[in-house]
Amino acid sequence: MARPVTLFTGQWADLPLEELAEKAGAWGFDGLELACWGDHFEVDRALSEPDYIEEKRELLDRRGLVCFAVGAHLVGQAVCDPIDERHRAILPPDVWGDGEPEGVRRRAAERMKDTARAAAALGVTQVNGFTGSAIWHLLYSFPPNDFDEIERGFEDFAERWDPIVDVFDTEGVRFGLEVHPTEIAYDFVTTRRTLDAIDNRPGFGINLDPSHFAHQSLDAAAFALEFADRIYHVHVKDSRKRLDGRRSILGSHLDFGQEARGWDFVSPGHGDVDFESFVRALNRIGYRGPLSIEWEDSGMDREWGARDAVAYVRAIDFEPSAVAFDAAMQRSE
Amino acid sequence: MARPVTLFTGQWADLPLEELAEKAGAWGFDGLELACWGDHFEVDRALSEPDYIEEKRELLDRRGLVCFAVGAHLVGQAVCDPIDERHRAILPPDVWGDGEPEGVRRRAAERMKDTARAAAALGVTQVNGFTGSAIWHLLYSFPPNDFDEIERGFEDFAERWDPIVDVFDTEGVRFGLEVHPTEIAYDFVTTRRTLDAIDNRPGFGINLDPSHFAHQSLDAAAFALEFADRIYHVHVKDSRKRLDGRRSILGSHLDFGQEARGWDFVSPGHGDVDFESFVRALNRIGYRGPLSIEWEDSGMDREWGARDAVAYVRAIDFEPSAVAFDAAMQRSE
Amino acid sequence: MARPVTLFTGQWADLPLEELAEKAGAWGFDGLELACWGDHFEVDRALSEPDYIEEKRELLDRRGLVCFAVGAHLVGQAVCDPIDERHRAILPPDVWGDGEPEGVRRRAAERMKDTARAAAALGVTQVNGFTGSAIWHLLYSFPPNDFDEIERGFEDFAERWDPIVDVFDTEGVRFGLEVHPTEIAYDFVTTRRTLDAIDNRPGFGINLDPSHFAHQSLDAAAFALEFADRIYHVHVKDSRKRLDGRRSILGSHLDFGQEARGWDFVSPGHGDVDFESFVRALNRIGYRGPLSIEWEDSGMDREWGARDAVAYVRAIDFEPSAVAFDAAMQRSE
Amino acid sequence: MARPVTLFTGQWADLPLEELAEKAGAWGFDGLELACWGDHFEVDRALSEPDYIEEKRELLDRRGLVCFAVGAHLVGQAVCDPIDERHRAILPPDVWGDGEPEGVRRRAAERMKDTARAAAALGVTQVNGFTGSAIWHLLYSFPPNDFDEIERGFEDFAERWDPIVDVFDTEGVRFGLEVHPTEIAYDFVTTRRTLDAIDNRPGFGINLDPSHFAHQSLDAAAFALEFADRIYHVHVKDSRKRLDGRRSILGSHLDFGQEARGWDFVSPGHGDVDFESFVRALNRIGYRGPLSIEWEDSGMDREWGARDAVAYVRAIDFEPSAVAFDAAMQRSE
Amino acid sequence: MARPVTLFTGQWADLPLEELAEKAGAWGFDGLELACWGDHFEVDRALSEPDYIEEKRELLDRRGLVCFAVGAHLVGQAVCDPIDERHRAILPPDVWGDGEPEGVRRRAAERMKDTARAAAALGVTQVNGFTGSAIWHLLYSFPPNDFDEIERGFEDFAERWDPIVDVFDTEGVRFGLEVHPTEIAYDFVTTRRTLDAIDNRPGFGINLDPSHFAHQSLDAAAFALEFADRIYHVHVKDSRKRLDGRRSILGSHLDFGQEARGWDFVSPGHGDVDFESFVRALNRIGYRGPLSIEWEDSGMDREWGARDAVAYVRAIDFEPSAVAFDAAMQRSE
Amino acid sequence: MARPVTLFTGQWADLPLEELAEKAGAWGFDGLELACWGDHFEVDRALSEPDYIEEKRELLDRRGLVCFAVGAHLVGQAVCDPIDERHRAILPPDVWGDGEPEGVRRRAAERMKDTARAAAALGVTQVNGFTGSAIWHLLYSFPPNDFDEIERGFEDFAERWDPIVDVFDTEGVRFGLEVHPTEIAYDFVTTRRTLDAIDNRPGFGINLDPSHFAHQSLDAAAFALEFADRIYHVHVKDSRKRLDGRRSILGSHLDFGQEARGWDFVSPGHGDVDFESFVRALNRIGYRGPLSIEWEDSGMDREWGARDAVAYVRAIDFEPSAVAFDAAMQRSE
């Protein structure tokens, strides 16, 4: 049987979960990856209100939807980041607090621990998210970087996330970092350094989203093979380069969806991701979890797109072979 | 006659100018673009010591070298940047001072004005350099940028540089921003915004270096045509992508010269820059100034490279035609 | 809602409209773009026979088909062309008359005015077609062209079409030139010159058919953005290059469908047109009119192809987004 | 009407024909190309057991399946090959006998004659298969080949196959060599030499399988046009290169399905074969026979794949045009 | 020994031959291909003035230059062309006469016969040139071509050139058509038809200029192999595509050298021609004649370019091998 | 200082060494890699004739040539190969003997030991060569390979070469396998298996020749980095793919130099090898040994080619940097 197809709810948090679940059920999804914002999965309420989790579960059941994973990207981002006004817009008020950076980072770390606890209460063993990064802003080495400071950035990550992963371990939940620019890991090199920094502990793995690889000219299938034992969850999302010598691959400080950008996110199958190779790599490493559509395409109606995406994913997802080929040509004796 | 070929001295500032000039003369350069660091062109001394400028001039004359431009990249960088420890390493101590960011930025701005004055005293009408940027670190819009803040970054640039350019105008010197990641302008889109922000005033133009375009997938020849009337100076430098699906175009927070990087700077002609198109574009826009080699290649001996580069530039540089072709086929009557 | 999908009837004029309409309805088309040849839409009869238009309208209604546009390519071609025997084969006998070139051109111009009148009578506000060109045959400049003569070709176009467009304006109908080799405009440069020649008057716009761009190595999506306010109608058609070093992109004076040609027209989706980019460009410029399939593929059964094409167009056509993305991630306060 | 879609049973010989036929019928195939191994089509029994053929025929009829061709690859391989232990595994015991090479080759040749007789008895006029080759192992000329020996290899082929084809002619059956590495013909050059060696006699033609061309960088559509009058049967199979600078196109002595190989077989539509061009070429040469899916993909579940393949083939197969295009634009007089 | 390198004088006819010869000798050319315009080689004077030829010969001798071929492109163009004002500008007044088309064509044909006679008198056995074409203007088949008319164009060519070639045969001179758009032959298909039309008579061959192939996406090396026995002379010239989705390969009715063109002629080695393959093909077919540089590059100073070109040609021209390789590894016995 | 440039004499063994050395000296080579055939370096005579080695040494000294390595490809080939008539042509008669395969293999192994002894006597510490392979002929797995047999092929190699390498170790000489099709190692995968099979013992390394990688679509620079500590010697040779859809990458059983082959060897710089990357990789791994030109190009005069090659290699070979770049920008305090 093929893999379940789920919808990550993060980009739909303007809709009440009730409404979104009804739509997703009708579009043929097998489940939802609940975002920890909007009213989709509120960690504080999940831990404090007795019926909260049961109500969410029933809401999903009514639509025949399963929850395999929870998405905690926004709070996770604040754990390592230098904090600025942009974080205020994406954090719960009590995590933001007075906005003093180190305080924000610490409260975000605590909230991540709570997220593991809430996920466990919901019966979910996978939490996806971001880590933030103390060194992302040093991306281009001018003025020349002090590369010891880069090294300290990875150490800072490990110091902040190790205690969080302790709680994940206790709860029987695994964290999946969505490897992504602006995070501590965004490519092969930085993923290796990140996993090494945290001693390759099993509680910290990867939510693999190929859309973040294509515009960097990275091969997401090769990445799956390279980090096979840490691929804990998979997002299906796409991106598309539009390089014509006048559009920079760096994005030109333009918002997503602007015509003059060199690349943009698009609905799965409408971009550069080689999903044929990607599915084959997932098969080779034995990944059997959900394919979770993170739908984002600023040039397409999102409901048209969600339906298009679920059909696309079902068309490209196939199971590996259980038979050796030439066997059928050889006589048994 | 072809264009003069000069050497930008910034990457050779570990050598005394006397020694470098001797080498450059022997290698066949027509001149030097003096960097404002090391002992190559010290702005404060040029303005305060009566014989400083005359001694430099004689030093160059002895080697048959001309100075067409001065390079003030390091101080310029501090004018708009958020200041951190990395700037301490590249600034003169009196510009760095106590390191308080706004103070550093103001002292850097004053030093840029002095640079125009010193250049004028040297008889040079072109100063190249960087501007820094208050918003470079917001390159990837996550957490989602407030795009008003991006706009304010361009305004901040204009506020800080307008008074500097006033002094340039007074001195009859033009500034050439080296369009470059980490600066306020690094591609077509941001260059347009930058020039607009400063009202396209003629005192502020471009030092065009194609090596910063190639790894962004930008066409430096098209850029020359697009911003033809602001191309005041040209660097010859090259860069080379090494994308194999495992190396990110973003650089992986690795230092230049590291094997796992997705691109790197290389000696001219050893990389991706299409110099054929570039020279044709320079001819089309009527650029007759120097081709200034900014030599940087962490995988090549620099003296071998400097000789290789000057030979390369002379081989690819040609003059435009003065004749209409088919004319020769048509009889005059 | 997606755009209506229509069938341009020009390549089916060997079938009576009655028969074609029945087929097109069954294949799932939303409407027909009636060609002004065969019995599909006869301009002279439409203006002279009292019931003609009503009968056509009823014929379409019976099949649930709408007419958004009329195609007047053949007569339009004769307005500017040097006239030769080939025109006799494509013109109504009374337009051809005695075949004296200037007479033919003038009668063709008059017939175009009548076409606007007939379209208006049918309730249709869009007429598509060709213009012909006095200078197309000077495509390759040998013997060397007198470029004043080229300029005069654009002026000749404007002189002949300005009075035609006057009638279009009066009737409330717009003309859409199908940008196409052999016409006064066939690429970016000549379209700009053409629109300028006719003072960019709104009555004269473009019927954009991407198949004529692909073999010229032109980007039809970029064209849509460049001439956004003149894209009045869209044809869906495809072409395919087959360059192997032995087939010329120029066509070798071979008929369409010959194996040795370097390119050929093919059914939509079977060729080089990047319809993903094309649809995104149409969305960006706000085009909401019909996607009119001009079906032409000399290697495919046309009825199989028409069905394949309508399914293809419905699969690739999508609406733009009405939502800003990251909005869902930001809390309202 | 489109071409029939059949399934070559060779890779399914671990299943009894009864079971496979039931599945193939359910998946929507029009027929089966019976392999001469497993219990699918046993040549010796077909000629010796009175009811054998009738029972096979009825078995197929019950599922609505037609047999257009028989596949005799394994025995054919032994006709020209240097014989080694690998042949023992693929030959019927009585053909292998004592394994003495020349004896094996002669018995294989006799069995091929019987295959023609059995096919005729079944009412089938096409037998596909391999020829083997005395010279395949001399592929790379080091130590330097004696090219007279290469020539003798083609003569050896002709000497061994001429008498076989005599029987084919007598029975009214044609042989189709599947052009393939390890066979006497595997590309354009060797196919030309092979057909010449056997005097281009009509009884010896080609079973064209494009999957063997793609990894050699060969154009299977061009091959169809080049050898148009010898294309007797067509396999639909695909292959996919995965060249990243570390995987050799030569296969690295690794089994199919190994990650480190430079290419592999894949389900139709999942690889490099340009089926658009391929179908157009088949149309151009007038091929109207079956499209026989030889399904082989070591990374995909074969039942999922068989269904995917039959849908794919039906989607890409179309008939040529019977109409000349511009005809519809020209008035009849 | 390598091939002689000559300069075609056609684009330098604004200079007196005396002056050009001095330059060409100084630049290192081995000879000149004299154009039949300017004062370079005037056919009428060569046949009527007793000392004319001897003076030319001496002029060349003084500079150590040899004449291997004469270029008669302009008059040749008028033999088959529909005549218009453009021809007046390129024809000698007595060939143009009153400009009545058929009269011009006939006088041009006579002048071509005289050109053979004059060449023979000069001791030169190769005349290169154009043929013109009655059908070039029908390049794109709209309005739909009558393909019988295309066929008649090739017949017209043969009728006009057969008597010319008779004179060439008599004089022991061969004609080399420069295969080129606007001529009767411009690619593989039309060259085959042209040679067939004139019964492949040996007096009519090809002056192969690869610059006319590159922009058509044609492989000039493959052309040399295909028409090996008719390659009588070779031009070295280059062209360069600049396709960016906005520039048409068709040239946009723009003059050579305009920025917005999709391709242009450039100095040898500065464009798309694959000279490595080209030289190998010339070696394979045994061509030992001159490599005649036809220098044309509207973006480069022509004297800089001529020197650059002669150095380039000497660097890429090499002789074929006379030794079989592995021979050296095999012991003689 | 750059690396020494030597000439491998294997392809020149038809010339006496005396004559070749004179030529090579005149062409500017720094040394010769002596082939163990012809009269260049005869192992048996070197060990048995008292003055042989001294005479060779003097012969080289007279021309200013150094010998850094000896090439023993032909005898090495016979150590593991299945022996056939082709080996007779390349082996010394006493190694071939009666041609009984196992006897030939054993005598070849003994001769390789002697080669180490002779090299040591000459003062050379590097012997390059081939190994042969018991399994090369099983390249394409049909009939399906028994992959245990493939494994046994690597074991056979190790059993035969281990005792040879023992002698090399004793003599202080290293063996460099030229990774090459037909050898036990020809790509990344098989090189890894080969080195593992022989326990990665230091006496057995690689003579890296990039020409054997390019046609396999392998990246020779990546190979150098991957097997950095076993790159003992480097050949400079090139190969060139000529794939046009009709030429197979497998070579078509055609001799080198045949037009219809899909690839061929060519003089360095005339083919597909990316020498820029190659030199950078050699610099990165610290290779300081000779660049030994193995000249082979069946389409070029070899003496022209040898001169061209030595100039090419000197132009592309450069030393790594000893300076860290941005250092020059940072002030010392």
Side-chain angles (χ1 to χ4, degrees), chain E residues 97-161:
Chain E
D98 60 2
E100 186 277 323
E102 185 58 20
V104 173
R105 283 190 287 265
R106 287 175 193 245
R107 284 187 296 275
E110 290 310 309
R111 183 59 51 93
M112 288 308 297
K113 295 176 188 167
D114 282 349
T115 306
R117 293 179 187 114
L122 185 65
V124 166
T125 59
Q126 180 69 27
V127 171
N128 300 317
F130 289 150
T131 57
S133 165
I135 53 175
W136 166 254
H137 66 288
L138 302 174
L139 180 67
Y140 191 107
S141 181
F142 193 83
N145 284 333
D146 170 2
F147 284 91
D148 290 343
E149 188 181 351
I150 301 298
E151 182 53 32
R152 281 194 299 275
F154 287 96
E155 290 165 7
D156 173 75
F157 148 76
E159 286 160 17
R160 292 182 187 276
W161 279 85

Side-chain angles (χ1 to χ4, degrees), chain A residues 30-85:
Chain A
D30 298 314
L32 296 180
E33 176 188 355
L34 294 177
C36 297
W37 53 93
D39 79 338
H40 294 193
F41 189 65
E42 296 142 292
V43 167
D44 50 351
R45 295 183 60 196
L47 294 182
S48 61
E49 300 182 16
D51 302 334
Y52 186 86
I53 280 179
E54 192 52 32
E55 285 169 13
K56 291 289 176 192
R57 214 179 261 142
E58 284 171 10
L59 186 163
L60 295 176
D61 281 353
R62 279 199 299 279
R63 304 303 176 182
L65 298 168
V66 181
C67 179
F68 297 96
V70 158
H73 297 66
L74 302 184
V75 167
Q77 184 69 27
V79 174
C80 294
D81 261 17
I83 301 299
D84 62 36
E85 279 299 305

Side-chain angles (χ1 to χ4, degrees), chain A residues 88 91 240 259 270 301, chain C residues 276-277 280 284 319 331:
Chain A
R88 180 202 292 262
L91 290 177
R240 188 162 168 264
E259 174 62 23
H270 291 256
D301 176 74
Chain C
E276 176 77 27
S277 295
R280 288 183 185 270
R284 198 169 284 274
E319 281 185 284
R331 63 179 160 127

Side-chain angles (χ1 to χ4, degrees), chain C residues 6-229:
Chain C
T6 59
L7 180 67
F8 175 51
T9 72
Q11 279 82 359
W12 308 75
D14 55 315
L15 302 181
L17 184 61
E18 181 76 50
E19 184 181 340
L20 178 60
E22 182 178 350
K23 288 174 186 283
W27 297 333
F29 282 91
D30 299 314
L32 297 180
E33 177 188 354
L34 294 177
C36 297
W37 52 93
D39 78 338
H40 294 192
F41 189 64
E42 297 142 292
V43 166
D44 50 351
R45 295 183 60 197
L47 294 182
S48 61
E49 298 181 18
D51 301 336
Y52 186 85
I53 280 178
E54 192 52 32
E55 285 169 13
K56 290 291 174 192
R57 214 179 262 142
E58 285 171 8
L59 187 162
L60 295 177
D61 281 353
R62 279 197 300 279
R63 305 301 177 185
L65 297 168
V66 181
C67 178
F68 296 96
V70 158
H73 297 66
L74 302 185
V75 167
Q77 184 70 26
V79 174
C80 294
D81 261 16
I83 301 298
D84 62 35
E85 277 300 304
R86 300 180 302 163
H87 297 83
R88 181 204 290 263
I90 61 168
L91 289 176
D94 59 331
V95 175
W96 175 258
D98 59 3
E100 186 276 321
E102 185 58 21
V104 173
R105 283 190 286 263
R106 286 173 193 247
R107 285 186 296 275
E110 291 309 310
R111 184 59 52 90
M112 287 309 295
K113 295 174 187 168
D114 282 350
T115 305
R117 295 176 186 117
L122 184 65
V124 166
T125 60
Q126 179 70 26
V127 170
N128 300 318
F130 289 149
T131 56
S133 166
I135 54 175
W136 165 255
H137 66 287
L138 301 174
L139 180 67
Y140 191 107
S141 181
F142 193 84
N145 284 331
D146 170 2
F147 284 91
D148 289 342
E149 187 180 353
I150 301 297
E151 182 53 32
R152 283 193 297 275
F154 287 95
E155 290 164 8
D156 173 77
F157 148 76
E159 286 159 19
R160 293 180 187 277
W161 279 86
D162 238 354
I164 299 173
V165 181
D166 289 343
V167 178
F168 273 70
D169 285 354
T170 303
E171 298 291 336
V173 177
R174 299 191 302 189
F175 182 73
L177 165 60
E178 186 166 325
V179 174
H180 177 288
T182 72
E183 307 313 312
I184 190 68
Y186 57 92
D187 64 1
F188 284 67
V189 170
T190 52
T191 299
R192 178 64 67 209
R193 290 184 79 169
T194 296
L195 296 181
D196 286 350
I198 204 160
D199 287 331
N200 295 289
R201 61 185 292 185
F204 188 92
I206 295 164
N207 173 39
L208 175 53
D209 181 335
S211 69
H212 307 307
F213 289 72
H215 65 89
Q216 292 188 69
S217 287
L218 295 174
D219 177 341
F223 187 91
L225 296 170
E226 176 90 6
F227 297 101
D229 62 356

Side-chain angles (χ1 to χ4, degrees), chain B residues 22-72:
Chain B
E22 181 178 352
K23 288 175 185 284
W27 297 332
F29 282 92
D30 298 314
L32 297 181
E33 177 188 354
L34 294 177
C36 298
W37 54 94
D39 77 340
H40 294 194
F41 190 65
E42 295 142 292
V43 167
D44 49 354
R45 295 183 60 197
L47 294 182
S48 60
E49 299 181 16
D51 301 334
Y52 185 86
I53 280 179
E54 192 51 33
E55 285 168 14
K56 290 290 175 193
R57 214 179 263 140
E58 285 170 9
L59 186 164
L60 296 177
D61 282 352
R62 278 197 300 280
R63 304 302 175 183
L65 298 168
V66 180
C67 178
F68 297 97
V70 157

